Amino acid sequence: MEALMTNVASRMPLVVAALSLWAGTASAQSSEELAKKLSNPIASLISVPFQFNYDHGYGPEDGDKATMNIQPVIPFSLNEDWNLISRTILPVTWQNDIAGPSGTQFGLGDTLQSFFLSPSKPTESGLVWGAGPVFLLPTGTDELLGSGKWGAGPTVVVLKQDGPWTYGMLGNHIWSFAGQSDRRDLSSTFMQPFISYTTKDAWTFSLNTESTYDWEANDWSVPINFAVAKLITIDKQPISLTAGIRYWAAAPDNGPEGLGFRVAVTFLFPK
């Protein structure tokens, strides 16, 4: 686990420095407004979260898994009416005995890349939406860290922001279409209903599930997440700090059990 944290920390200054070229000034937006934008997965806001997750109870040996998800979100303005939002999830994982006495693995997992085409303004009723393709890239560096498959499918997000509240759903479906022939095919649906409340002093309280249904194995994975985030500014750099707990309401027989936790640091670059 120490190696995981060291690997990610060594890359963090490079990512921040590169994206600083995109940065506008945070003074034009209040901390409350920025915190609310973070609750919107397709906001016109460059953000780079480093999200650390820990879960246990995998397999008959009660294995452990710790994952650092590097999740840059970068919006592009196509014209006055439309934006294209790129959302990437690159997992760096350490795990131990997740498939019986399978030992320890450390490295990259599969990359999830989403693109959302979204109107630049909400609808008359206040809805914000985006839709586009999602791709699964077999970047796993170990058989037990990745699927060995290329995948693709549709993704969509719909949400509304009403005063301090943000609520909506993000979802996708991925089918495998190529990859290692000796690995099982993929067909999975992901659903993330979410609700959050942001205070005037930039505290955000959020509740969501990140549920996945595996159509090949006929299994549900349903973690329920509660998190608290606070937006702060350090030397003019807006940063969101998040901590939360997770309860696994459902999981495959060899999946995680009980409680897990999540902490995150997100760097914001207002446009």
Side-chain angles (χ1 to χ4, degrees), residues 23-34 37 233 236 238 270-271:
T25 58
S27 59
Q29 300 182 65
S30 70
S31 294
E32 180 188 4
E33 290 173 325
L34 287 176
K37 280 192 171 184
T233 301
K236 299 183 179 180
K271 298 187 68 176

Side-chain angles (χ1 to χ4, degrees), residues 27 32-33 53 59 72 110 112 129 141 151 165 179 198 220 224 227 264:
S27 59
E32 180 188 4
E33 290 173 325
N53 297 271
D110 290 345
L112 192 69
W129 65 272
T141 54
W165 293 96
T198 301
W220 277 101
I224 300 174

